């Protein structure tokens, strides 16, 4: 491997901060504007903001998205985000959380599917850097590469994307008046320490919307509250180390917060103000146009009332980086990928099809033996490291 490639691999596998690269705000970029009727006085303000957050992928879509939206067909949005400051128009970096949002106006159902950030992939266009993590796709080639990777991995079309910076979470949750979420487990968490001790400590309870806050490392606690503030929602979404399900548990809590935000977006009159729009413009990038959003408002909004939560389950493994350090990955069996492909294509009203190659892109011939050795023992695919000619994100009959 070339010296510069080796260096990039070393840099790539430096230990991340493990802060939540949270994309739960992305749905706000879509639904906060589209969740109900527009007050005429707010239209110009909203359009101006959406024009600012719009950023094209610069590549051809897998299908005619204008036709999809105008005809009210099920659509897909890839939500992903980062833990940075305000988003620049040319921002690039890791997007360590990814979620597919599948909106079906006919069944009036929204399906959320979390994608493991550590899923092992061969990134289309950058296959010679295999093995990679799913969250590196954006860093290598921006939104278009991240989209192509997901499309190749699952054999589904991605119609739109929304990239969100978590810095605006607190203000946005505040704008919707807070959210109520039942915790799936008991845990205590401080964002200052990323553990169960320290200042700004929150305590959540299994099966309850109740939580308490402490400013003195748990010596004294506030009265129990049932509506999360923005800061509480951020803490609830971020905790990872003390969850017995690890990152999968964190994904579950992300989806719960997202569901809470979707439900609260039904009344957006209070959101269409300068303060909220300013926050939105600094923390969101998307290729949804103002016209797309207004159409979604009239044809898709009922789908928010029935939300299905899903995730892709991988098997933990490791592989050394250029310095010999063992790097953790999640390898997903073809059986599991096929399950998710079936679920996603059904949600999108598409014909059944074979899931994508095991690693998305085509693994170089020199690394195929290694790639095969990393497959789980019960993986059913014997040719899982190669590209498959019978996979395509769309067929003419699906248009």
């Amino acid at each position: 491997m070339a010296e510069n490639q080796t260096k990039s691999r070393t840099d790539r596998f430096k230990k991340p901060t493990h802060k939540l690269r949270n994309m739960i705000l992305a749905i706000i970029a879509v639904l906060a504007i589209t969740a109900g009727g527009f007050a005429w006085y707010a239209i110009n303000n909203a359009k101006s903001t959406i024009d600012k957050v719009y950023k094209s992928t610069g590549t051809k879509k897998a299908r005619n998205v204008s036709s999809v939206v105008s005809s009210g067909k099920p659509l897909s949005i890839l939500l992903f985000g980062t833990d940075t400051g305000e988003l620049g128009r040319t921002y690039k970096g890791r997007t360590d959380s990814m979620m597919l949002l599948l909106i079906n106006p006919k069944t009036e159902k929204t399906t959320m599917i979390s994608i493991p950030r550590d899923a092992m992939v061969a990134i289309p266009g950058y296959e010679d850097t295999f093995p990679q993590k799913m969250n590196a796709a954006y860093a290598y080639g921006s939104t278009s590469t991240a989209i192509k990777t997901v499309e190749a991995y699952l054999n589904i079309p991605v119609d739109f994307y929304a990239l969100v910076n978590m810095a605006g979470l607190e203000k946005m949750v505040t704008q919707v008046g807070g959210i109520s979420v039942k915790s799936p487990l008991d845990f205590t968490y401080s964002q200052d320490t990323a553990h169960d001790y320290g200042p700004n400590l929150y305590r959540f309870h299994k099966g309850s919307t109740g939580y308490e806050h402490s400013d003195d490392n748990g010596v004294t606690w506030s009265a129990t509250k049932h509506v999360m503030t923005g800061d509480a929602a951020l803490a609830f979404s971020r905790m990872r180390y003390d969850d017995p399900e690890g990152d999968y548990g964190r994904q579950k809590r992300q989806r719960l917060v997202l569901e809470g935000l979707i439900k609260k977006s039904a009344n957006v009159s209070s959101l269409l103000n300068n303060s909220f729009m300013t926050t939105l413009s600094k923390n969101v990038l998307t290729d949804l146009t103002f016209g797309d959003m207004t159409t979604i408002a009239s044809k898709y909004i009922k789908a928010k009332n029935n939300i299905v939560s899903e995730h892709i389950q991988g098997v933990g493994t490791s592989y050394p980086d250029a310095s010999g350090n063992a790097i953790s990955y999640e390898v997903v069996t073809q059986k599991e990928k096929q399950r998710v492909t079936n679920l996603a294509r059904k949600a999108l009203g598409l014909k059944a099809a074979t899931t994508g190659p095991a690693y998305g892109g085509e693994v170089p011939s020199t690394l195929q033996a290694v790639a095969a050795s990393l497959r789980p023992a019960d993986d059913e695919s014997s040719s899982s490291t190669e590209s498959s000619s019978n996979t395509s994100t769309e067929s003419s009959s699906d248009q």
Side-chain angles (χ1 to χ4, degrees):
M1 182 174 293
E3 182 179 348
N4 65 329
Q5 290 177 334
T6 300
K7 184 177 185 300
S8 65
R9 286 187 54 157
T10 302
D11 292 340
R12 180 174 74 248
F13 291 127
K14 285 182 179 178
K15 185 176 181 180
T17 61
H18 294 302
K19 288 182 179 180
L20 173 63
R21 274 73 173 177
N22 197 313
M23 80 281 295
I24 58 177
L25 302 183
I27 189 60
I28 293 301
V30 179
L31 293 182
I33 306 300
T34 64
F38 285 93
W40 283 106
Y41 73 88
I43 289 181
N44 288 335
N45 188 27
K47 185 178 186 305
S48 176
T49 297
I50 299 308
D51 288 344
K52 291 178 182 177
V53 303
Y54 176 82
K55 186 174 179 62
S56 171
T57 62
T59 58
K60 184 179 180 180
K61 301 275 188 178
R63 59 180 181 170
N64 187 335
V65 295
S66 296
S67 175
V68 169
V69 173
S70 63
S71 59
K73 292 182 179 180
L75 60 82
S76 61
I77 303 172
L78 179 60
L79 313 179
F80 52 119
T82 185
D83 199 13
T84 67
E86 293 178 2
L87 292 178
R89 298 308 94 181
T90 59
Y91 170 82
K92 288 191 68 175
R94 283 182 178 272
T95 53
D96 285 339
S97 294
M98 302 179 76
M99 189 184 299
L100 276 169
L101 188 71
L102 312 174
I103 309 173
N104 190 321
K106 297 179 180 179
T107 61
E108 298 185 356
K109 182 166 69 174
T110 296
T111 303
M112 295 185 295
I113 305 175
S114 293
I115 303 173
R117 67 178 192 173
D118 293 338
M120 183 180 285
V121 296
I123 299 175
Y126 301 88
E127 289 92 343
D128 60 341
T129 66
F130 177 85
Q132 287 281 6
K133 294 187 177 185
M134 181 68 78
N135 68 356
Y138 182 83
Y140 269 87
S142 198
T143 51
S144 61
T145 299
I147 289 171
K148 288 177 182 177
T149 302
V150 172
E151 288 181 333
Y153 193 67
L154 293 174
N155 189 21
I156 60 169
V158 173
D159 299 318
F160 300 100
Y161 82 89
L163 170 67
V164 181
N165 162 40
M166 64 176 293
L169 174 63
E170 296 178 42
K171 291 181 180 179
M172 290 186 179
V173 170
T174 299
Q175 289 284 351
V176 300
I179 58 175
S180 294
V181 176
K182 286 186 179 181
S183 178
L185 75 164
D186 294 309
F187 71 95
T188 304
Y189 183 77
S190 165
Q191 294 188 69
D192 292 43
T193 65
H195 290 287
D196 59 357
Y197 58 84
N200 195 25
L201 196 64
Y202 286 92
R203 184 171 64 188
F204 301 95
H205 308 282
K206 183 177 181 179
S208 171
T209 58
Y211 71 95
E212 295 84 38
H213 180 261
S214 173
D215 284 321
D216 54 11
N217 196 24
V219 176
T220 58
W221 293 92
S222 70
T224 299
K225 301 177 181 179
H226 292 273
V227 178
M228 287 186 184
T229 62
D231 192 62
L234 193 59
F236 181 79
S237 301
R238 267 182 160 173
M239 192 278 286
R240 177 185 184 188
Y241 297 116
D242 295 331
D243 194 312
E245 295 183 82
D247 202 47
Y248 290 105
R250 185 172 65 168
Q251 291 173 20
K252 181 187 296 183
R253 283 178 278 111
Q254 289 174 19
R255 294 193 301 271
L256 287 171
V257 170
L258 175 55
E259 183 174 346
L261 286 170
I262 292 174
K263 290 179 178 178
K264 288 299 290 288
S265 69
N267 181 8
V268 299
S269 60
S270 63
L271 304 182
L272 298 179
N273 57 64
N274 289 331
S275 177
F276 182 81
M277 288 295 152
T278 298
T279 300
L280 194 70
S281 67
K282 293 179 179 179
N283 293 285
V284 176
L285 288 177
T286 181
D287 62 347
L288 279 158
T289 66
F290 184 78
D292 292 331
M293 292 185 183
T294 56
T295 301
I296 290 172
S298 63
K299 296 184 178 181
Y300 292 78
I301 194 58
K302 290 184 179 180
K304 77 177 184 63
N305 296 322
N306 183 10
I307 301 173
V308 176
S309 181
E310 273 283 354
H311 74 281
I312 302 174
Q313 181 66 51
V315 178
T317 189
S318 64
Y319 188 78
D321 64 8
S323 299
N325 300 310
I327 304 301
S328 297
Y329 292 89
E330 291 290 312
V331 178
V332 183
T333 65
Q334 288 297 87
K335 181 179 180 180
E336 171 66 358
K337 285 171 74 255
Q338 186 65 62
R339 180 188 72 83
V340 176
T341 294
N342 292 345
L343 184 154
R345 291 186 70 89
K346 182 177 181 180
L348 291 173
L350 303 178
K351 291 183 177 180
T354 303
T355 191
Y359 297 110
E362 183 174 1
V363 176
S365 58
T366 55
L367 293 172
Q368 286 190 5
V370 171
S373 71
L374 293 169
R375 303 305 300 168
D378 60 348
D379 194 5
E380 298 177 350
S381 175
S382 60
S383 58
S384 60
T385 63
E386 299 179 358
S387 292
S388 175
S389 61
N390 67 342
T391 59
S392 61
T393 56
E394 196 73 16
S395 66
S396 58
S397 61
D398 292 324
Q399 295 288 334

Short mmCIF file of all heavy atoms in Angstrom, two decimals, residues 271-310:
data_model
loop_
_atom_site.label_atom_id
_atom_site.label_comp_id
_atom_site.label_asym_id
_atom_site.label_seq_id
_atom_site.Cartn_x
_atom_site.Cartn_y
_atom_site.Cartn_z
N LEU A 271 -42.20 27.40 15.94
CA LEU A 271 -40.84 27.15 15.45
C LEU A 271 -40.45 28.11 14.34
O LEU A 271 -39.27 28.36 14.10
CB LEU A 271 -40.70 25.72 14.95
CG LEU A 271 -41.07 24.61 15.93
CD1 LEU A 271 -40.83 23.27 15.29
CD2 LEU A 271 -40.29 24.75 17.22
N LEU A 272 -41.44 28.61 13.62
CA LEU A 272 -41.15 29.45 12.47
C LEU A 272 -40.87 30.88 12.90
O LEU A 272 -41.61 31.81 12.61
CB LEU A 272 -42.31 29.38 11.48
CG LEU A 272 -42.59 27.99 10.91
CD1 LEU A 272 -43.78 28.03 9.97
CD2 LEU A 272 -41.37 27.43 10.21
N ASN A 273 -39.77 31.03 13.64
CA ASN A 273 -39.38 32.35 14.09
C ASN A 273 -37.90 32.52 13.82
O ASN A 273 -37.18 31.58 13.50
CB ASN A 273 -39.70 32.53 15.57
CG ASN A 273 -39.03 31.47 16.43
OD1 ASN A 273 -37.80 31.39 16.50
ND2 ASN A 273 -39.83 30.64 17.10
N ASN A 274 -37.42 33.74 13.94
CA ASN A 274 -36.04 34.04 13.59
C ASN A 274 -35.04 33.24 14.40
O ASN A 274 -34.01 32.78 13.89
CB ASN A 274 -35.77 35.54 13.75
CG ASN A 274 -36.46 36.37 12.68
OD1 ASN A 274 -36.67 35.90 11.57
ND2 ASN A 274 -36.82 37.60 13.02
N SER A 275 -35.30 33.06 15.70
CA SER A 275 -34.38 32.34 16.56
C SER A 275 -34.20 30.90 16.12
O SER A 275 -33.08 30.40 15.99
CB SER A 275 -34.87 32.38 18.01
OG SER A 275 -34.00 31.64 18.85
N PHE A 276 -35.33 30.23 15.89
CA PHE A 276 -35.25 28.83 15.47
C PHE A 276 -34.62 28.71 14.09
O PHE A 276 -33.79 27.83 13.84
CB PHE A 276 -36.65 28.19 15.46
CG PHE A 276 -36.63 26.74 15.08
CD1 PHE A 276 -36.32 25.77 16.02
CD2 PHE A 276 -36.91 26.33 13.79
CE1 PHE A 276 -36.29 24.44 15.69
CE2 PHE A 276 -36.89 24.99 13.45
CZ PHE A 276 -36.58 24.04 14.40
N MET A 277 -35.00 29.60 13.18
CA MET A 277 -34.47 29.54 11.83
C MET A 277 -32.96 29.78 11.81
O MET A 277 -32.22 29.17 11.04
CB MET A 277 -35.18 30.56 10.94
CG MET A 277 -36.61 30.17 10.60
SD MET A 277 -36.66 28.66 9.61
CE MET A 277 -38.25 28.01 10.08
N THR A 278 -32.50 30.68 12.66
CA THR A 278 -31.06 30.95 12.75
C THR A 278 -30.32 29.71 13.23
O THR A 278 -29.28 29.33 12.69
CB THR A 278 -30.78 32.12 13.70
OG1 THR A 278 -31.40 33.30 13.18
CG2 THR A 278 -29.29 32.36 13.84
N THR A 279 -30.88 29.04 14.25
CA THR A 279 -30.27 27.81 14.76
C THR A 279 -30.23 26.74 13.68
O THR A 279 -29.24 26.05 13.49
CB THR A 279 -31.07 27.28 15.98
OG1 THR A 279 -31.07 28.26 17.00
CG2 THR A 279 -30.47 25.99 16.51
N LEU A 280 -31.33 26.62 12.95
CA LEU A 280 -31.42 25.63 11.89
C LEU A 280 -30.37 25.89 10.81
O LEU A 280 -29.68 24.97 10.37
CB LEU A 280 -32.82 25.68 11.27
CG LEU A 280 -33.24 24.51 10.37
CD1 LEU A 280 -33.44 23.25 11.19
CD2 LEU A 280 -34.52 24.87 9.62
N SER A 281 -30.24 27.15 10.40
CA SER A 281 -29.33 27.48 9.30
C SER A 281 -27.88 27.22 9.64
O SER A 281 -27.06 27.00 8.75
CB SER A 281 -29.51 28.95 8.90
OG SER A 281 -29.08 29.81 9.93
N LYS A 282 -27.54 27.22 10.93
CA LYS A 282 -26.15 27.01 11.34
C LYS A 282 -25.81 25.56 11.63
O LYS A 282 -24.65 25.21 11.80
CB LYS A 282 -25.85 27.85 12.59
CG LYS A 282 -25.88 29.35 12.35
CD LYS A 282 -25.61 30.11 13.63
CE LYS A 282 -25.61 31.62 13.39
NZ LYS A 282 -25.35 32.37 14.65
N ASN A 283 -26.83 24.70 11.70
CA ASN A 283 -26.59 23.34 12.16
C ASN A 283 -27.08 22.24 11.24
O ASN A 283 -27.00 21.06 11.60
CB ASN A 283 -27.24 23.15 13.54
CG ASN A 283 -26.56 23.98 14.60
OD1 ASN A 283 -25.48 23.66 15.06
ND2 ASN A 283 -27.19 25.09 14.99
N VAL A 284 -27.58 22.58 10.07
CA VAL A 284 -28.15 21.58 9.18
C VAL A 284 -27.69 21.81 7.74
O VAL A 284 -27.58 22.95 7.29
CB VAL A 284 -29.70 21.61 9.22
CG1 VAL A 284 -30.29 20.63 8.21
CG2 VAL A 284 -30.21 21.28 10.62
N LEU A 285 -27.41 20.72 7.03
CA LEU A 285 -27.23 20.73 5.58
C LEU A 285 -28.13 19.64 5.01
O LEU A 285 -28.22 18.55 5.58
CB LEU A 285 -25.77 20.44 5.20
CG LEU A 285 -24.72 21.51 5.47
CD1 LEU A 285 -23.34 20.99 5.07
CD2 LEU A 285 -25.04 22.79 4.73
N THR A 286 -28.80 19.91 3.90
CA THR A 286 -29.67 18.92 3.29
C THR A 286 -29.84 19.23 1.80
O THR A 286 -29.63 20.36 1.38
CB THR A 286 -31.06 18.90 3.97
OG1 THR A 286 -31.89 17.90 3.36
CG2 THR A 286 -31.75 20.25 3.84
N ASP A 287 -30.20 18.22 1.03
CA ASP A 287 -30.50 18.47 -0.38
C ASP A 287 -32.01 18.46 -0.64
O ASP A 287 -32.45 18.36 -1.77
CB ASP A 287 -29.78 17.47 -1.30
CG ASP A 287 -30.18 16.03 -1.06
OD1 ASP A 287 -30.83 15.74 -0.03
OD2 ASP A 287 -29.82 15.18 -1.89
N LEU A 288 -32.79 18.59 0.43
CA LEU A 288 -34.22 18.82 0.28
C LEU A 288 -34.43 20.30 -0.01
O LEU A 288 -33.97 21.16 0.73
CB LEU A 288 -34.96 18.45 1.57
CG LEU A 288 -35.26 16.96 1.78
CD1 LEU A 288 -35.48 16.69 3.25
CD2 LEU A 288 -36.47 16.54 0.97
N THR A 289 -35.11 20.60 -1.08
CA THR A 289 -35.40 21.98 -1.42
C THR A 289 -36.63 22.46 -0.66
O THR A 289 -37.38 21.66 -0.08
CB THR A 289 -35.65 22.14 -2.93
OG1 THR A 289 -36.86 21.45 -3.27
CG2 THR A 289 -34.48 21.58 -3.74
N PHE A 290 -36.86 23.75 -0.69
CA PHE A 290 -38.07 24.30 -0.07
C PHE A 290 -39.31 23.72 -0.72
O PHE A 290 -40.28 23.38 -0.05
CB PHE A 290 -38.06 25.83 -0.21
CG PHE A 290 -39.22 26.49 0.47
CD1 PHE A 290 -39.22 26.67 1.84
CD2 PHE A 290 -40.31 26.95 -0.25
CE1 PHE A 290 -40.29 27.27 2.48
CE2 PHE A 290 -41.38 27.56 0.36
CZ PHE A 290 -41.37 27.74 1.75
N GLY A 291 -39.25 23.54 -2.05
CA GLY A 291 -40.39 22.95 -2.75
C GLY A 291 -40.64 21.52 -2.32
O GLY A 291 -41.79 21.09 -2.15
N ASP A 292 -39.55 20.73 -2.13
CA ASP A 292 -39.70 19.36 -1.65
C ASP A 292 -40.41 19.34 -0.31
O ASP A 292 -41.32 18.54 -0.06
CB ASP A 292 -38.33 18.70 -1.49
CG ASP A 292 -37.61 18.46 -2.81
OD1 ASP A 292 -38.30 18.26 -3.83
OD2 ASP A 292 -36.37 18.47 -2.81
N MET A 293 -39.98 20.25 0.57
CA MET A 293 -40.53 20.26 1.92
C MET A 293 -42.00 20.66 1.95
O MET A 293 -42.79 20.08 2.71
CB MET A 293 -39.71 21.19 2.81
CG MET A 293 -38.30 20.68 3.07
SD MET A 293 -37.41 21.73 4.24
CE MET A 293 -35.81 20.89 4.25
N THR A 294 -42.37 21.62 1.14
CA THR A 294 -43.78 22.02 1.12
C THR A 294 -44.66 20.91 0.55
O THR A 294 -45.79 20.71 0.99
CB THR A 294 -43.97 23.31 0.30
OG1 THR A 294 -43.43 23.13 -1.02
CG2 THR A 294 -43.28 24.48 0.97
N THR A 295 -44.13 20.15 -0.41
CA THR A 295 -44.88 19.02 -0.96
C THR A 295 -45.01 17.92 0.08
O THR A 295 -46.08 17.31 0.25
CB THR A 295 -44.19 18.46 -2.21
OG1 THR A 295 -44.08 19.49 -3.19
CG2 THR A 295 -44.98 17.30 -2.80
N ILE A 296 -43.92 17.65 0.79
CA ILE A 296 -43.95 16.65 1.86
C ILE A 296 -44.98 17.03 2.91
O ILE A 296 -45.66 16.18 3.48
CB ILE A 296 -42.55 16.49 2.48
CG1 ILE A 296 -41.60 15.82 1.47
CG2 ILE A 296 -42.60 15.66 3.76
CD1 ILE A 296 -40.15 15.79 1.92
N ALA A 297 -45.08 18.34 3.17
CA ALA A 297 -46.04 18.81 4.18
C ALA A 297 -47.46 18.38 3.86
O ALA A 297 -48.22 18.01 4.74
CB ALA A 297 -45.96 20.33 4.29
N SER A 298 -47.80 18.40 2.59
CA SER A 298 -49.17 18.10 2.20
C SER A 298 -49.43 16.61 1.96
O SER A 298 -50.56 16.16 2.06
CB SER A 298 -49.54 18.88 0.94
OG SER A 298 -48.72 18.48 -0.15
N LYS A 299 -48.38 15.85 1.66
CA LYS A 299 -48.60 14.46 1.26
C LYS A 299 -48.03 13.40 2.20
O LYS A 299 -48.42 12.24 2.13
CB LYS A 299 -48.00 14.23 -0.14
CG LYS A 299 -48.68 15.06 -1.22
CD LYS A 299 -48.11 14.74 -2.61
CE LYS A 299 -48.83 15.53 -3.69
NZ LYS A 299 -48.32 15.21 -5.04
N TYR A 300 -47.12 13.78 3.09
CA TYR A 300 -46.41 12.78 3.89
C TYR A 300 -46.60 12.91 5.40
O TYR A 300 -46.22 12.01 6.14
CB TYR A 300 -44.91 12.85 3.60
CG TYR A 300 -44.51 12.42 2.22
CD1 TYR A 300 -44.67 13.27 1.12
CD2 TYR A 300 -43.95 11.17 1.98
CE1 TYR A 300 -44.30 12.89 -0.16
CE2 TYR A 300 -43.58 10.76 0.71
CZ TYR A 300 -43.75 11.64 -0.36
OH TYR A 300 -43.37 11.25 -1.62
N ILE A 301 -47.16 14.00 5.87
CA ILE A 301 -47.10 14.31 7.29
C ILE A 301 -47.81 13.30 8.18
O ILE A 301 -47.43 13.07 9.32
CB ILE A 301 -47.64 15.73 7.55
CG1 ILE A 301 -47.27 16.18 8.96
CG2 ILE A 301 -49.13 15.81 7.29
CD1 ILE A 301 -45.78 16.18 9.21
N LYS A 302 -48.85 12.63 7.68
CA LYS A 302 -49.57 11.67 8.52
C LYS A 302 -48.71 10.47 8.89
O LYS A 302 -49.01 9.76 9.84
CB LYS A 302 -50.85 11.22 7.81
CG LYS A 302 -51.93 12.29 7.72
CD LYS A 302 -53.20 11.74 7.10
CE LYS A 302 -54.28 12.80 7.04
NZ LYS A 302 -55.54 12.27 6.44
N ALA A 303 -47.63 10.26 8.14
CA ALA A 303 -46.76 9.11 8.42
C ALA A 303 -46.04 9.25 9.75
O ALA A 303 -45.48 8.28 10.26
CB ALA A 303 -45.75 8.95 7.29
N LYS A 304 -46.03 10.44 10.33
CA LYS A 304 -45.34 10.64 11.60
C LYS A 304 -46.10 10.03 12.78
O LYS A 304 -45.55 9.88 13.87
CB LYS A 304 -45.12 12.13 11.87
CG LYS A 304 -46.35 12.86 12.34
CD LYS A 304 -46.07 14.31 12.64
CE LYS A 304 -47.31 14.99 13.20
NZ LYS A 304 -47.74 14.41 14.48
N ASN A 305 -47.36 9.67 12.57
CA ASN A 305 -48.16 9.15 13.66
C ASN A 305 -47.91 7.67 13.94
O ASN A 305 -48.32 7.14 14.98
CB ASN A 305 -49.65 9.36 13.35
CG ASN A 305 -50.02 10.83 13.26
OD1 ASN A 305 -49.52 11.64 14.03
ND2 ASN A 305 -50.88 11.17 12.30
N ASN A 306 -47.25 6.98 13.02
CA ASN A 306 -46.97 5.55 13.19
C ASN A 306 -45.50 5.33 12.90
O ASN A 306 -45.08 5.25 11.75
CB ASN A 306 -47.85 4.73 12.25
CG ASN A 306 -47.65 3.23 12.43
OD1 ASN A 306 -47.00 2.78 13.38
ND2 ASN A 306 -48.18 2.44 11.52
N ILE A 307 -44.70 5.23 13.94
CA ILE A 307 -43.25 5.15 13.79
C ILE A 307 -42.74 3.77 14.20
O ILE A 307 -43.04 3.28 15.29
CB ILE A 307 -42.54 6.22 14.63
CG1 ILE A 307 -43.01 7.62 14.19
CG2 ILE A 307 -41.03 6.12 14.49
CD1 ILE A 307 -42.51 8.74 15.07
N VAL A 308 -41.99 3.14 13.30
CA VAL A 308 -41.39 1.83 13.56
C VAL A 308 -39.88 2.01 13.72
O VAL A 308 -39.24 2.65 12.89
CB VAL A 308 -41.68 0.84 12.41
CG1 VAL A 308 -40.99 -0.49 12.66
CG2 VAL A 308 -43.19 0.64 12.27
N SER A 309 -39.33 1.45 14.77
CA SER A 309 -37.91 1.60 15.07
C SER A 309 -37.17 0.30 14.81
O SER A 309 -37.57 -0.76 15.29
CB SER A 309 -37.74 2.03 16.54
OG SER A 309 -36.39 2.20 16.87
N GLU A 310 -36.08 0.37 14.03
CA GLU A 310 -35.30 -0.81 13.67
C GLU A 310 -33.80 -0.49 13.71
O GLU A 310 -33.41 0.68 13.77
CB GLU A 310 -35.66 -1.28 12.26
CG GLU A 310 -36.83 -2.23 12.19
CD GLU A 310 -36.46 -3.65 12.61
OE1 GLU A 310 -35.26 -3.92 12.83
OE2 GLU A 310 -37.38 -4.48 12.70
#
